[in-house]
Amino acid sequence: MNRRVLIKTLAFGTAAGSIGWPGKSDAIAAEPHATTNKALSPLKITKVRAIQTAPQRTRLVVVKVETSEPGLYGLGCATFNQRPLAVVTAVEEYLDPFARGRDADNIEDLWQNAYTSSYWRNGPVLNNALSGLDMALWDIKGKRANMPVYQLIGGKCRFAVDCYAHSSGRDLKELEESVKQNMEPGFRHIRIQLGGYGSPQLSTEAHFKDAGFGLPKDTLMDTQPYLKATPKMFEHIRTTCGDDIELLHDVHERVEPRDAIRLLKELERYRPFFIEDPIAPEANDYFRQIRAATTVPIAMGELFNSPHEWVGLIKDRLIDFVRVHLSQTGGFTVARKIATLAEWFNVRSAWHGPTDLSPVGHAANIHLDLAIHNFGIQESLRFNEASQEVFPGCPTIKNGYFYVNEAPGWGVDINEEAARKYPYPTHPGYWEPVRRRDGSAVFCPHILLGVLTYCYASGVYASADIELQFGRDTVVRHLCADIYPEADRLRLFRRRNRKEIQRCLAEVLRKAWHVREGLQCQNLDESVDPLTASLDSQATFEGIHPFAEEAEERINRAVRFDCWALDD
Ligand code: GCO
Ligand code: MG
């Protein structure tokens, strides 16, 4: 071969290569990847089912995806505490038949097709169902790869996840104690609330009740008492707990946007780490004005179900922390994209991490927190014994840091037998109305299990309203303190055990009944179990009092359920 032919062939070869003329190397490249992929045998979805359990009194829905590989399954969180049964139906009647036989490895493909399989989309029920499937597929992929999910998305950016604790109290003293209690084990970030959201215990003029508007169980919450008390709350905690602790607060969209702006301006001097949900998603357009009026960092998003709610706020830098609830957005696949979008606009993460999220959902939060650059803070939850029994591998907290274990997938499993031991509370889960004094509805009522006892004896109106927040502080609101000193004692039961709570409740009940009977209050006979004693003696209650049945049902439910919750 002479030199001219050689040069021509070489030139032709490279030219061929550059214009993509299939040469040998391209042939190799085009060869199906099977060779290196041989290890991963095809994996089909064989079943998608929803597991319902409530070890911490909230109605959890966890999706289990079973596969063609014996023993290989994944778990995903689909918890929608206010409508759990609707999610179960969406999973079992729709996603199961849709996903069966499909390739479990192709998460994005399955997500996109399941998302559009209902044609209409984005909403709490369908997104939660989809999230259960999605997260379970990531769990499976981690197990197949024999690594924790955070490794699949790039590994750790930090050794553990800084998280915030919850403190609340009926008054400043109780709140201060609770903050100090959380500072002790090392929390550097603490969310402070005065009672329930919007501090309803500060509102006293339930004119709508006197007018017979709504139901007696509806809760009163007026704006002014809350707007006045909240800056004082920050003042008190800064004075008594110092300037180093990072303070967070959840307005929980309880006030009108204009009031929210005024409140945030007043809170600036207390350097809050962030103020959450100052307004409702329905008023998102107000963020421009909030941004213009104050430098207080804003966290928003737990109620978001659609990209229309988060994209604009992030790209226009109108919030500082995106706080979506992973399962409400459609799962881990979506949250990763939200985190990536947010990074480009200096928005950090603060994923929603309440009681109404399963340990699987919390683990998904933490895996994402470990791997993303723009991590901000993580809401924390302590898992009680029942939760740890149902979900072996629950995330743990040490020195204010959240940890997942290094097991493959999410690292959290489920014990279905134990799960059956914790059925849902009897109350379906919807939220009871919260009203202003004139009866008008307030956005987003609180999650509470109320015990309401009314008794009318010769015109004396007496009741004790007990509100319990699951897995967190208890809040007692007392409507007619002068009648039932016991209710004040209930105030202290945050640090009391179940026996004490039952005793107090029985006392309230019994006294209510005695008052109604016009009898002198008697000291309880300690030896007899006060609860049954008082419930039996309440037998005559039936038929006299319009709310008797409801009151009794609530008392039984509260005693049966809430006391457990308070034990953790
Ligand atoms: C939070 C939330 C919760 C929600 C609850 C709704 O910041 O943790 O506001 O308390 O109200 O998850 O079910
Ligand atoms: Mg919130």
Side-chain angles (χ1 to χ4, degrees):
M1 180 189 290
N2 66 32
R3 195 155 54 85
R4 189 169 300 130
V5 177
L6 175 67
I7 293 167
K8 258 207 221 128
T9 350
L10 283 177
F12 179 77
T14 25
S18 58
I19 53 174
W21 194 279
K24 182 93 187 69
S25 57
D26 292 330
I28 292 167
E31 228 177 271
H33 208 48
T35 49
T36 51
N37 215 4
K38 278 204 182 50
L40 265 187
S41 52
L43 184 72
K44 299 297 178 203
I45 295 172
T46 53
K47 193 170 176 51
V48 181
R49 56 192 178 86
I51 300 165
Q52 300 166 252
T53 184
Q56 218 145 319
R57 316 305 341 131
T58 37
R59 300 160 194 81
L60 306 179
V61 178
V62 169
V63 169
K64 187 169 186 175
V65 171
E66 295 166 7
T67 71
S68 51
E69 188 175 312
L72 177 56
Y73 59 84
L75 300 177
C77 188
T79 297
F80 181 11
N81 182 46
Q82 290 78 358
R83 297 285 188 281
L85 305 182
V87 175
V88 171
T89 304
V91 170
E92 307 217 330
E93 302 301 326
Y94 300 96
L95 284 186
D96 176 38
F98 173 86
R100 277 186 195 214
R102 294 186 184 280
D103 192 329
D105 281 322
N106 302 339
I107 303 179
E108 182 71 31
D109 172 67
L110 252 163
W111 193 93
Q112 292 296 344
N113 287 298
Y115 174 62
T116 50
S117 69
S118 55
Y119 188 47
W120 281 272
R121 50 203 177 252
N122 288 323
V125 173
L126 298 185
N127 276 4
N128 270 286
L130 183 50
S131 161
L133 172 67
D134 175 72
M135 285 189 193
L137 296 176
W138 279 100
D139 195 18
I140 290 168
K141 194 169 280 298
K143 289 174 179 172
R144 261 164 83 76
N146 194 23
M147 56 175 83
V149 172
Y150 75 78
Q151 289 289 14
L152 300 178
I153 58 172
K156 284 182 180 173
C157 283
R158 48 202 58 80
F159 74 92
V161 166
D162 223 338
C163 58
Y164 67 85
H166 288 270
S167 281
S168 95
R170 259 188 57 80
D171 53 40
L172 294 176
K173 197 74 205 113
E174 267 185 24
L175 177 60
E176 177 194 331
E177 275 167 31
S178 171
V179 171
K180 287 179 177 161
Q181 266 175 20
N182 277 321
M183 287 170 78
E184 226 171 282
F187 283 103
R188 292 161 292 279
H189 300 78
I190 297 177
R191 189 187 81 168
I192 53 175
Q193 308 285 141
L194 209 51
Y197 292 124
S199 308
Q201 79 279 11
L202 301 176
S203 302
T204 53
E205 299 167 318
H207 297 162
F208 72 89
K209 289 189 182 178
D210 306 337
F213 184 82
L215 289 180
K217 65 180 171 186
D218 298 352
T219 298
L220 165 71
M221 185 238 150
D222 272 324
T223 307
Q224 288 318 318
Y226 167 72
L227 289 173
K228 280 190 232 142
T230 305
K232 292 200 184 91
M233 170 183 75
F234 272 85
E235 173 75 31
H236 181 82
I237 298 302
R238 274 281 173 245
T239 318
T240 55
C241 303
D243 204 35
D244 295 337
I245 188 73
E246 296 285 6
L247 298 177
L248 300 74
H249 176 67
D250 192 346
V251 178
H252 217 266
E253 36 161 20
R254 278 302 155 101
V255 297
E256 301 307 322
R258 184 63 42 206
D259 289 329
I261 294 176
R262 203 151 41 86
L263 175 63
L264 267 60
K265 284 166 74 78
E266 280 188 69
L267 298 182
E268 256 177 31
R269 77 184 84 132
Y270 304 110
R271 195 182 53 72
F273 182 82
F274 73 48
I275 299 294
E276 173 186 349
D277 291 3
I279 53 175
E282 292 82 354
N284 265 1
D285 290 351
Y286 244 102
F287 273 108
R288 253 171 235 299
Q289 294 184 40
I290 292 178
R291 244 329 180 225
T294 171
T295 59
V296 166
I298 307 284
M300 184 75 181
E302 69 182 51
L303 275 168
F304 291 170
N305 293 114
S306 151
H308 305 299
E309 294 170 304
W310 57 75
V311 171
L313 291 182
I314 290 174
K315 78 171 180 45
D316 298 337
R317 297 183 170 86
L318 294 172
I319 58 174
D320 302 283
F321 295 88
V322 59
R323 224 177 112 53
V324 297
H325 183 109
L326 265 58
S327 67
Q328 291 286 355
T329 68
F332 190 74
T333 296
V334 181
R336 282 184 66 213
K337 295 173 185 175
I338 295 174
T340 309
L341 171 71
E343 184 179 337
W344 296 111
F345 299 98
N346 313 97
V347 175
R348 291 182 285 164
S349 70
W351 314 125
H352 194 217
T355 40
D356 43 339
L357 181 70
S358 71
V360 177
H362 280 276
N365 279 350
I366 302 166
H367 278 266
L368 191 52
D369 291 333
L370 283 169
I372 59 175
H373 171 65
N374 54 326
F375 164 72
I377 190 76
Q378 180 57 59
E379 180 174 11
S380 74
L381 178 70
R382 281 179 305 135
F383 299 103
N384 65 11
E385 280 153 35
S387 290
Q388 292 170 40
E389 180 198 4
V390 176
F391 296 98
C394 281
T396 53
I397 300 176
K398 200 159 100 279
N399 187 26
Y401 286 106
F402 233 157
Y403 292 83
V404 286
N405 59 50
E406 294 298 329
W410 300 128
V412 179
D413 202 351
I414 192 161
N415 171 340
E416 293 193 55
E417 202 188 320
R420 281 188 286 277
K421 280 171 36 183
Y422 304 100
Y424 285 175
T426 47
H427 188 283
Y430 56 74
W431 283 21
E432 306 288 357
V434 172
R435 300 179 183 281
R436 303 277 186 239
R437 74 167 72 90
D438 66 355
S440 21
V442 174
F443 253 119
C444 154
H446 24 139
I447 320 170
L448 298 168
L449 191 58
V451 173
L452 206 54
T453 318
Y454 282 109
C455 34
Y456 296 89
S458 43
V460 176
Y461 170 83
S463 75
D465 226 359
I466 303 163
E467 299 171 2
L468 303 167
Q469 277 182 335
F470 299 108
R472 295 201 185 135
D473 297 338
T474 48
V475 177
V476 177
R477 187 172 62 193
H478 188 67
L479 287 179
C480 293
D482 56 345
I483 298 235
Y484 296 119
E486 272 72 28
D488 291 335
R489 216 160 84 160
L490 286 172
R491 202 186 259 262
L492 306 172
F493 75 30
R494 194 164 60 180
R495 277 180 292 284
R496 296 265 186 261
N497 63 21
R498 186 174 39 223
K499 269 239 150 299
E500 174 65 16
I501 297 162
Q502 283 176 329
R503 222 184 59 67
C504 293
L505 273 171
E507 217 157 294
V508 166
L509 198 59
R510 195 168 177 143
K511 291 243 164 105
W513 182 68
H514 283 292
V515 168
R516 189 189 69 77
E517 295 297 310
L519 298 172
Q520 282 311 311
C521 295
Q522 321 160 10
N523 291 333
L524 283 171
D525 170 341
E526 292 292 341
S527 61
V528 183
D529 170 58
L531 179 66
T532 27
S534 60
L535 283 178
D536 298 345
S537 57
Q538 195 195 348
T540 55
F541 203 76
E542 299 309 334
I544 295 174
H545 185 275
F547 297 108
E549 252 156 53
E550 184 206 322
E552 181 164 356
E553 210 267 328
R554 285 169 168 266
I555 290 164
N556 293 344
R557 188 168 0 124
V559 170
R560 200 172 50 241
F561 289 115
D562 291 68
C563 298
W564 287 105
L566 286 168
D567 255 353
D568 64 11

